[in-house]
Amino acid sequence: MANPDAYITGIGQSEVGVRLARHPLLLTIDAIREALDDAGLTLADIDGVSTYPGKTAQPPGYSPVGTEDVIESLRLNVRWYNGGFEITSQLGAVVEAVGAVMSGQARHVLCFRTVYEAAALSRPDEYPRPGPGRVDGMMEWLLPFNAYSASNWIAQYAMRHIKKYGLKREQLAQIAITGRAHAALNPRALVREPLTLDDYMSARMISDPLCLYDCDRFTDASTVLIVSAGDALGDVKCRAIRIDAMAYSVERHSWDQSEWVAAYPTGAELWKRTDYKPKDVDVAQLYDGFSFNAVTWLEGLGFCKRGEAGDFLGDGKRIALDGELPLNTFGGQIGAGRLHGFGFAHEAVVQLRGQGGARQVKGEPRVAVATSGGGPLATALLLVRD
Amino acid sequence: MAGFRLLPRLNAENRFFWTSGSDGRLRFLRCEACETFVHPPRPICPNCQSEAVSPATVPGTGVVDTYTINHQKWQPVLEVPYVIARVAIDGAPGVYLTTNIIDCSVEAVEIGDAVKVAFEQHDDVWLPLFEKA
Ligand SMILES: [Zn+2]
């Protein structure tokens, strides 16, 4: 069995909001400071930096801070860094960091994801939208057909699930309703109002079968996770959470050529790399940029069989805080904001340390899973409190 | 749903595809050695690594693999709702196209529907849209 000798030590998060005035680099540094304090480390201890997807100007605010900004601004003395889009989704930045600390290239790696889309869209002078030019790359095959949004792409998988397996909208709704219920207990969550089934069922459609409440919202925030080598834990003054196993995979880089989403093979792969089983998981933080993504993760990770997530979700009791598989205890992206993948690992650490406050799962959870990725790219981490 | 379209940037690899509709026919790259279809177009066969890949005409029919009805105005000029579908292309195993199903009500589209290509020209681009067969 693989037993990566790597830990998540510090976690940090900036203010979470929409149309924030604070500069995205400063949001990032706010989160870094919190993570360093949390770990009991200083800037001098940091020798690695990892991010997804790296600095990119388009779409506006998607990723306004790159490794260079952080390394330069803080004059970090890094021996290893990584930032890029060509990895299997957001938490891939953590997977890369684990590789770095296990191979001795770094001892403490700052992993960050900064999103600023709400602010950028509200300030087009500072963050211009793309012009009306022609499109290429993956978008060449989507935008000419007015398939603009990931909601259009994920909705097609959701539609197939509904038609093939009988997933009901009332069942899908439980992801959003549960996320909102948990968000109400999270002081940092973006949306803290409760959501009822009536609200959900009467909401306008975005891309059938995904309605308004199936989609996360543009958010301004930065989230930081520090990945530390097992032999560097003497440096830290926190409860370190061990990364027991990880998996990441790609189906097809062309989203519309992929038969199904990568949550399925990635979830299956995760369990080949650990002695733990799905039944050992005490709390699940599953990517829900769209509610349906969490459905595929529930099935892909083997919490239920493929096609049976609708029944598993049922009326939502099973995934509530006091249910058998508490899901997205911080609110998920639908409730806590579009932290874009990093929120899930952040919350897994919170829960495993027992720091969840009003949203803390009872019974001292020991094993958590955190995932990112919604389409043919996917990453899963199994985190354990030893 | 004629009207607003962002168009692909044509280059050496994709020009044949986006202009194929000028004679009303749908084409994809196909390996001359093993007949594997190569989509999106690249200058090598992913199955046998032959570099002899060339455009081949397919019947222009297909099957709706899955779909969604889009209701959101992603651009102010878009007319909604419209159907975005993933069509499995007859005669090109393993190839799908994201496209629109046109000339029917949005409620009339179903997974498994047989469809046929109907090109829509914009400047030097012929977009392969589909209608119910
Ligand atoms: Zn070949």
Side-chain angles (χ1 to χ4, degrees):
Chain A
M1 141 188 158
N3 184 15
D5 199 14
Y7 292 74
I8 296 179
T9 51
I11 57 172
Q13 194 166 72
S14 72
E15 177 185 6
V16 175
V18 293
R19 297 184 289 280
L20 295 185
R22 190 160 172 79
H23 191 284
L25 175 60
L26 297 179
L27 291 178
T28 310
I29 289 171
D30 291 342
I32 290 172
R33 286 180 176 134
E34 185 172 284
L36 289 170
D37 286 349
D38 179 56
L41 294 169
T42 70
L43 288 174
D45 294 311
I46 298 299
D47 57 1
V49 172
S50 184
T51 192
Y52 167 96
K55 189 170 189 167
T56 174
Q58 299 296 350
Y62 179 72
S63 185
V65 181
T67 56
E68 179 206 17
D69 299 304
V70 167
I71 293 166
E72 274 293 296
S73 303
L74 299 173
R75 290 290 192 275
L76 294 174
N77 184 19
V78 299
R79 296 185 289 149
W80 176 91
Y81 75 95
N82 159 74
F85 188 70
E86 294 183 356
I87 54 177
T88 60
S89 80
Q90 305 86 353
L91 289 175
V94 171
V95 175
E96 300 298 335
V98 170
V101 299
M102 287 181 66
S103 60
Q105 297 179 85
R107 285 167 65 83
H108 301 290
V109 179
L110 271 180
C111 303
F112 71 93
R113 176 82 184 98
T114 303
V115 287
Y116 205 59
E117 289 169 300
L121 290 170
S122 72
R123 302 207 294 272
D125 291 349
E126 271 177 87
Y127 297 91
R129 293 187 188 213
R134 291 200 170 194
V135 294
D136 49 21
M138 185 178 91
M139 294 303 177
E140 166 186 346
W141 305 101
L142 299 167
L143 298 193
F145 307 97
N146 294 323
Y148 272 87
S149 160
S151 64
N152 296 141
W153 317 337
I154 298 300
Q156 295 181 74
Y157 291 116
M159 184 70 83
R160 187 137 53 108
H161 203 289
I162 282 174
K163 304 279 183 177
K164 182 172 182 178
Y165 299 120
L167 175 70
K168 297 181 177 67
R169 286 194 62 222
E170 291 83 350
Q171 296 166 334
L172 181 61
Q174 301 306 326
I175 304 285
I177 293 168
T178 301
R180 286 285 206 90
H182 295 169
L185 304 172
N186 173 7
R188 269 188 182 145
L190 185 72
V191 189
R192 303 193 60 201
E193 297 81 41
L195 179 73
T196 68
L197 185 58
D198 282 348
D199 296 334
Y200 178 95
M201 295 304 288
S202 58
R204 67 185 172 89
M205 277 290 169
I206 299 295
S207 194
D208 196 358
L210 301 181
C211 73
L212 183 64
Y213 299 121
D214 290 306
C215 310
D216 64 5
R217 303 183 184 191
F218 287 158
T219 305
D220 308 321
S222 182
T223 307
V224 165
L225 307 160
I226 299 176
V227 171
S228 298
D231 61 7
L233 291 188
D235 303 344
V236 305
K237 300 173 189 64
C238 65
R239 170 167 256 171
I241 299 299
R242 187 166 55 82
I243 300 172
D244 182 79
M246 55 192 190
Y248 73 173
S249 68
V250 57
E251 288 286 275
R252 289 287 299 276
H253 280 99
S254 306
W255 274 50
D256 64 353
Q257 300 303 305
S258 197
E259 183 65 25
W260 263 114
V261 296
Y264 293 101
T266 305
E269 189 67 26
L270 185 71
W271 302 116
K272 296 177 189 168
R273 302 178 181 185
T274 177
D275 289 337
Y276 290 102
K277 303 281 185 250
K279 66 175 169 50
D280 298 319
V281 172
D282 298 311
V283 58
Q285 315 293 344
L286 305 182
Y287 190 82
D288 67 342
F290 302 101
S291 56
F292 182 71
N293 296 137
V295 167
T296 63
W297 277 115
L298 285 170
E299 296 178 358
L301 285 163
F303 294 118
C304 58
K305 294 200 177 91
R306 186 180 293 211
E308 295 182 0
D311 288 339
F312 182 89
L313 289 164
D315 60 3
K317 287 197 174 66
R318 190 179 267 124
I319 58 171
L321 275 191
D322 58 355
E324 66 188 70
L325 187 71
L327 177 71
N328 293 350
T329 49
F330 64 120
Q333 290 196 179
I334 290 174
R338 192 176 197 233
L339 309 173
H340 213 221
F342 269 50
F344 301 95
H346 182 282
E347 177 68 5
V349 172
V350 167
Q351 289 290 335
L352 294 177
R353 287 175 172 175
Q355 296 173 334
R359 66 180 196 275
Q360 178 62 42
V361 169
K362 300 289 184 292
E364 301 192 348
R366 273 195 61 233
V367 180
V369 65
T371 68
S372 70
L377 310 170
T379 308
L381 304 174
L382 190 69
L383 304 178
V384 175
R385 170 175 57 85
D386 288 319
Chain B
M1 60 170 290
F4 182 80
R5 301 280 184 182
L6 285 170
L7 296 176
R9 182 175 292 117
L10 302 191
N11 59 40
E13 286 172 353
N14 70 12
R15 181 170 283 105
F16 86 90
F17 179 83
W18 293 114
T19 60
S20 189
S22 63
D23 66 359
R25 299 204 276 179
L26 184 62
R27 294 174 178 83
F28 291 90
L29 279 192
R30 187 178 62 187
C31 173
E32 293 171 12
C34 76
E35 302 198 335
T36 295
F37 280 84
V38 185
H39 184 77
R42 294 180 192 277
I44 186 168
C45 169
N47 184 51
C48 74
Q49 286 74 56
S50 165
E51 296 174 20
V53 291
S54 58
T57 302
V58 296
T61 58
V63 174
V64 173
D65 180 69
T66 185
Y67 71 98
T68 179
I69 304 170
N70 178 71
H71 294 266
Q72 179 77 14
K73 276 178 170 287
W74 304 108
Q75 304 266 2
V77 294
L78 280 182
E79 290 174 29
V80 295
Y82 55 87
V83 173
I84 299 165
R86 177 173 123 121
V87 170
I89 301 297
D90 290 343
V95 172
Y96 299 91
L97 278 185
T98 295
T99 183
N100 303 120
I101 308 299
I102 58 167
D103 287 345
C104 66
S105 77
V106 295
E107 290 84 14
V109 177
E110 195 45 83
I111 290 173
D113 280 353
V115 291
K116 62 182 185 211
V117 71
F119 290 101
E120 186 179 282
Q121 186 186 356
H122 294 259
D123 301 333
D124 56 350
V125 171
W126 279 259
L127 294 176
L129 310 183
F130 285 77
E131 56 191 24
K132 293 183 71 154

